[in-house]
Structures are given as structure tokens and as C-alpha cells.
């Protein structure tokens, strides 16, 4: 009978191929900065992904609601 369990050794399982986030053509620095956080996902435990996505949502919402005439936050303020 065939056993239907996952192998215990993490090296025995293939690593998922993560799509690379786009964004090379994004001209808004706030949006670009928010999207940059997606590059961290492959190295994070799955349990932490929700936190990253929630942060991304909040940053994009703030960028959407910001006044384009006002300067955005600088990297040191983030």
C-alpha cells in the first residue's frame, strides 16, 4: 500500500518557483516602495505572509489616498 504523507526532509521536497514581482515601470515612489516588500515573501514563513500582504494593502491605500501635490514619505521615515 502506498503511503500518502509528505517526506519529512525539507530537501526532499521541491522548492516552489516564486514569480518575481513586476514594478520596473512603476513611476510612483510610494507604490514602488510598497511593492518592494513582496521580494521578502519567499524567505518568510507562510504564517508571516498575511502580515506582509496587510502591510502592502495599507501602504497602497495610503498612496492612493495621498495628495499628489504633497511629497511622499522618504525611505528614512518608513
Amino acid at each position: 500500500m502506498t503511503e500518502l504523507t509528505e517526506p519529512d526532509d525539507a530537501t526532499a521536497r521541491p522548492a516552489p518557483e516564486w514569480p518575481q514581482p513586476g514594478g520596473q515601470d512603476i513611476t510612483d515612489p510610494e507604490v514602488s516602495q510598497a511593492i518592494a516588500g513582496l521580494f521578502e515573501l519567499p524567505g518568510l514563513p507562510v504564517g508571516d505572509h498575511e502580515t506582509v500582504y496587510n502591510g502592502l494593502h495599507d501602504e497602497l491605500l495610503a498612496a492612493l489616498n495621498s495628495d499628489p501635490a504633497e511629497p511622499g514619505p522618504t525611505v528614512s521615515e518608513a
Side-chain angles (χ1 to χ4, degrees):
M1 190 157 143
T2 305
E3 196 169 324
L4 299 176
T5 58
E6 294 282 329
D8 290 332
D9 185 10
T11 59
R13 289 178 270 165
E17 291 185 29
W18 285 84
Q20 292 299 312
Q24 293 79 7
D25 57 344
I26 296 175
T27 57
D28 187 304
E30 289 181 83
V31 173
S32 183
Q33 182 179 345
I35 301 269
L38 293 176
F39 287 105
E40 299 172 9
L41 283 179
L44 294 175
V46 173
D48 293 344
H49 290 194
E50 180 181 5
T51 302
V52 173
Y53 288 128
N54 286 336
L56 174 63
H57 172 268
D58 293 344
E59 289 180 50
L60 291 174
L61 185 61
L64 181 64
N65 290 327
S66 67
D67 184 357
E70 294 178 12
T74 63
V75 176
S76 63
E77 292 177 355

